[in-house]
Amino acid sequence: MSTRNAAPFHTVVNWDEMPVTQVRPGVRRRVYATDEVMICHHELELGMTLNPHRHEDFDQLVHIAEGRANYYVDGVAHDMRAGSFLLVPRGSEHYVEPTQAPCVNIDFFVPPRADLLP
């Protein structure tokens, strides 16, 4: 384990104890990252500001943990509910629109997104 950061191993973390960032109106984010993976916990409000975007360097695994949302990938809406997963391929335009609150969206990034690292 000499080349990896040993700090995250054997350490319990809880979302409700992590710092929250207001990303834009209606979106709050918590981030947990190791050297190899990043997990982003998003609390989404109905009517939030939508943010169509794309990532060229990594795929994004989306999980709806609570509530319901339409998750758009290249213009196609995917109805997602608590327990749903969706893999968004790199380069695809995507965004989420909550349809039932409270809505919690958890994103997994491998490798971690450099723009969200502290």
Side-chain angles (χ1 to χ4, degrees), residues 47-76:
M48 65 177 244
T49 301
L50 303 180
N51 181 35
H53 63 283
R54 62 183 77 234
H55 312 285
E56 299 299 334
D57 299 333
F58 47 82
D59 301 326
Q60 177 174 337
L61 180 59
V62 175
H63 171 61
I64 298 298
E66 189 175 346
R68 196 170 198 120
N70 285 324
Y71 207 98
Y72 293 84
V73 179
D74 292 330
V76 177

Side-chain angles (χ1 to χ4, degrees), residues 63-69 81-83 100-105:
H63 171 61
I64 298 298
E66 189 175 346
R68 196 170 198 120
R81 58 183 170 76
Q100 181 184 63
C103 188
V104 174
N105 165 209

Side-chain angles (χ1 to χ4, degrees), residues 8-79:
F9 293 91
H10 308 287
T11 302
V12 174
V13 294
N14 293 291
W15 288 123
D16 60 353
E17 296 172 356
M18 298 176 79
V20 178
T21 301
Q22 184 78 33
V23 178
R24 61 184 175 279
V27 181
R28 288 176 302 284
R29 175 189 293 147
R30 293 176 168 98
V31 177
Y32 176 79
T34 70
D35 295 338
E36 298 175 356
V37 66
M38 174 178 281
I39 306 168
C40 297
H41 178 283
H42 299 96
E43 297 170 12
L44 310 175
E45 296 175 9
L46 296 176
M48 65 177 244
T49 301
L50 303 180
N51 181 35
H53 63 283
R54 62 183 77 234
H55 312 285
E56 299 299 334
D57 299 333
F58 47 82
D59 301 326
Q60 177 174 337
L61 180 59
V62 175
H63 171 61
I64 298 298
E66 189 175 346
R68 196 170 198 120
N70 285 324
Y71 207 98
Y72 293 84
V73 179
D74 292 330
V76 177
H78 301 273
D79 180 28

